[in-house]
Amino acid sequence: MNATPFSSPRDDASEHTAGPRTVRHVGDREAILAAADPVETIDTHTDSATTADDAGSHPAVRRILARHAGRSPEPFHSPDSPESVDGEQFDLADRQALRRVAGLSTELEDVTEVEYRRLRLERVVLAGLWTAGSVEDAENSLHELAALAETAGSVVLDGVLQRRENPDPATFLGSGKAQDLRAVVAAVGADTVVCDGELSPSQRRGLEDVVKVKVIDRTALILDIFAQHAKSKEGKAQVELAQLDYLLPRLRGWGESMSRQAGGRVAGGAGIGSRGPGETKIELDRRRIRTRMAKLRRDIAHMKTARVTKRDARRRNSVPSVAIAGYTNAGKSSLLNRLTNAGVLVEDALFATLDPTVRRAVTPDGREFTLTDTVGFVRQLPHQLVEAFRSTLEEVADADLVLHVVDGSHPDPEGQLAAVREVLADVGAEKVTELVVVNKVDAAHPDVVRRLLRSQPGAIAVSARTGEGIEELVAALTDRLPRPRVEVDVVVPYTRGDLVNRAHTDGEVLDEEHTPEGTLLRARVGAALAAELAACAVPSAG
């Protein structure tokens, strides 16, 4: 097993030896910058176009761009085998056990096939709207939408891209492009249309009337992924609250069924005396949703109390906190595993992990701190999720240092940085000290890495998969952690060895000497520990 850069407090209790470890400093900032020509000029759009070439782009996105450019799109080939998955982790294997499989018929000839609990993938067509920016921005947005759709459990077949200044108020795309979309849906046999944007209720109904299949927007897609991946009680409550907030203005009925006045025991099972005058069925459903949302908000506020209590305990003990934040699928969980051997789920998918993970670690000079892996961010992150996960995102705002992880192999890493910083500003974390970590340098273009290191002061280039640059990251993190400010010079009696131990774990010991009266300690500690040391100090014989 490879040694991790940070050891846990339990590891320090047992003596162990490890063989020499050699780390190749290919992520060293100075080495990378020195390799570049000082007068070299790098075009910011060239890298995006190079990264998203035909060999690496999604086939459905290639067909969309070809159709938008007036070229004949390449023929569609139905997938005949599921993609391979990494099943080494237990959580990942459990998640993949219920993953849908492409090409599996739901008309089972053998009843034993039911034991696999796998259904046919939804067949999805994308609908993109290019309102601003360059064609590379539109292409990156379509690639991200395709990845979101596949993460939710679907196979992306084809799509359309519309260029217009503002969305059409009736069908989002416009009547002509909506008819083109209908033809694409019929040609590939799709059963779902995913729009790259948030649709109003009227736009969704209008587009469904044209294409004759189910239509969902980007917000509903992200909420569905969150609902699949949430595991903790708090995470499930937060996702349900966001879903209800999104559903409330979009309640729909069949014919006149939602306009009927409620009767009998339909009012939440309460019956007579529980209805307002002339209350219709849709009004009743809205009231029940609001009641459920109010209960979820109370539950989330109660769960927040436990987390605040733990956070206050860390503050009293002067334990620094480091939060790992960044774009989804940038490698935050992989970095946490590399630094602390946490063993959290790692998957090449968007929003693979939602629940925050906190691990205690120790710096090379012996100071303890906590590392927190937070939920990933994305462009146009639904405001319902930001509000529902605000209590979780406050972990970033209360941290002493933020490791801002960016995917160096992504076509638009600068866009990732801007999107994450926008969300951090919404939760009040814009003033927290930030250390940019350019991850996946083993797969990134060297010019992109050099560009990011130049534009982001103090950034570190690493690879969580191979371990490149991790030692430099550990040194930078150790240097940026807040140090205790109160310097003490006391003699601690031998009966209070617990205080000496706390000085080692929570502070910075400058000098230590054993005298007949006790332990002569000179250290920098927090204010609370300094007061305890002063209270029990004994006079020095000297």
Side-chain angles (χ1 to χ4, degrees), residues 103-349:
L104 181 65
S105 173
T106 56
E107 299 178 358
L108 303 179
E109 298 179 359
D110 184 359
V111 71
T112 59
E113 296 182 26
V114 178
E115 294 300 321
Y116 290 101
R117 292 178 173 85
R118 290 177 174 177
L119 301 176
R120 180 178 62 85
L121 287 167
E122 287 191 57
R123 301 168 65 84
V124 166
V125 167
L126 306 181
L129 194 64
W130 176 16
T131 58
S134 63
V135 65
E136 287 83 6
D137 296 333
E139 183 179 355
N140 292 335
S141 184
L142 283 174
H143 277 294
E144 186 170 272
L145 186 66
L148 287 169
E150 291 176 344
T151 301
S154 64
V155 55
V156 180
L157 307 178
D158 208 331
V160 298
L161 177 63
Q162 172 71 317
R163 181 74 167 97
R164 57 183 299 148
E165 293 183 359
N166 297 297
D168 181 66
T171 61
F172 182 69
L173 296 173
S175 57
K177 188 61 70 172
Q179 292 295 335
D180 294 344
L181 178 62
R182 178 180 180 178
V184 173
V185 169
V188 300
D191 50 34
T192 305
V193 171
V194 180
C195 294
D196 193 12
E198 185 168 349
L199 302 179
S200 66
S202 61
Q203 287 174 326
R204 178 180 174 184
R205 287 195 300 268
L207 192 56
E208 282 186 345
D209 291 341
V210 176
V211 300
K212 305 301 182 182
V213 296
K214 179 178 65 175
V215 175
I216 63 174
D217 57 14
R218 182 188 180 93
T219 300
L221 184 62
I222 294 176
L223 290 174
D224 184 81
I225 296 173
F226 271 60
Q228 293 181 42
H229 293 178
K231 295 179 61 179
S232 67
K233 182 179 180 181
E234 183 178 16
K236 292 178 180 179
Q238 290 170 328
V239 172
E240 184 182 357
L241 176 60
Q243 287 181 315
L244 292 176
D245 188 22
Y246 173 80
L247 177 65
L248 186 59
R250 293 172 172 82
L251 284 179
R252 298 187 299 174
W254 292 266
E256 298 179 355
S257 64
M258 299 296 278
S259 300
R260 297 178 301 178
Q261 291 188 1
R265 290 188 174 272
V266 299
I272 297 175
S274 62
R275 300 181 298 273
E279 189 174 38
T280 61
K281 188 172 184 296
I282 193 170
E283 292 169 345
L284 171 63
D285 288 342
R286 286 172 179 163
R287 179 160 60 87
R288 294 175 66 181
I289 288 177
R290 292 190 183 99
T291 302
R292 176 62 178 169
M293 290 173 65
K295 181 180 184 303
L296 288 172
R297 289 192 179 99
R298 291 193 299 269
D299 293 343
I300 293 173
H302 180 71
M303 299 173 194
K304 177 183 176 182
T305 304
R307 188 168 53 253
V308 171
T309 302
K310 295 179 182 178
R311 189 187 308 156
D312 292 341
R314 292 196 296 266
R315 287 177 178 174
R316 286 193 302 269
N317 295 327
S318 301
V319 178
S321 174
V322 179
I324 304 177
Y327 212 78
T328 180
N329 205 28
K332 299 181 298 298
S333 297
S334 299
L335 186 62
L336 179 67
N337 288 341
R338 172 65 66 172
L339 294 176
T340 66
N341 201 20
V344 298
L345 182 144
V346 173
E347 184 181 9
D348 186 14

Side-chain angles (χ1 to χ4, degrees), residues 466-511:
T466 64
E468 298 172 357
I470 293 297
E471 290 192 356
E472 184 187 1
L473 173 61
V474 170
L477 188 152
T478 303
D479 183 62
R480 285 169 172 78
L481 280 179
R483 297 179 180 273
R485 300 181 178 180
V486 181
E487 185 169 336
V488 295
D489 190 353
V490 295
V491 177
V492 183
Y494 289 120
T495 56
R496 296 305 308 269
D498 58 316
L499 295 180
V500 177
N501 178 66
R502 285 176 56 188
H504 279 276
T505 58
D506 301 339
E508 183 179 2
V509 176
L510 304 177
D511 188 25

Side-chain angles (χ1 to χ4, degrees), residues 6-158:
F6 295 117
S7 59
S8 65
R10 296 176 182 176
D11 295 335
D12 296 337
S14 61
E15 292 290 337
H16 65 278
T17 59
R21 180 183 180 190
T22 302
V23 177
R24 187 162 50 95
H25 294 276
V26 300
D28 184 80
R29 176 184 177 87
E30 289 74 10
I32 293 177
L33 291 178
D37 187 352
V39 297
E40 181 183 2
T41 302
I42 300 174
D43 186 3
T44 57
H45 296 293
T46 304
D47 298 320
S48 299
T50 303
T51 306
D53 57 5
D54 289 345
S57 60
H58 197 286
V61 176
R62 293 202 301 269
R63 288 190 290 273
I64 296 172
L65 296 176
R67 183 180 292 107
H68 180 74
R71 304 191 305 269
S72 297
E74 60 186 61
F76 167 74
H77 301 283
S78 178
D80 54 2
S81 62
E83 295 183 358
S84 60
V85 296
D86 181 9
E88 294 180 358
Q89 296 182 326
F90 291 111
D91 290 342
L92 182 59
D94 180 65
R95 176 178 296 177
Q96 296 292 349
L98 300 178
R99 185 64 48 93
R100 297 174 178 178
V101 178
L104 181 65
S105 173
T106 56
E107 299 178 358
L108 303 179
E109 298 179 359
D110 184 359
V111 71
T112 59
E113 296 182 26
V114 178
E115 294 300 321
Y116 290 101
R117 292 178 173 85
R118 290 177 174 177
L119 301 176
R120 180 178 62 85
L121 287 167
E122 287 191 57
R123 301 168 65 84
V124 166
V125 167
L126 306 181
L129 194 64
W130 176 16
T131 58
S134 63
V135 65
E136 287 83 6
D137 296 333
E139 183 179 355
N140 292 335
S141 184
L142 283 174
H143 277 294
E144 186 170 272
L145 186 66
L148 287 169
E150 291 176 344
T151 301
S154 64
V155 55
V156 180
L157 307 178
D158 208 331

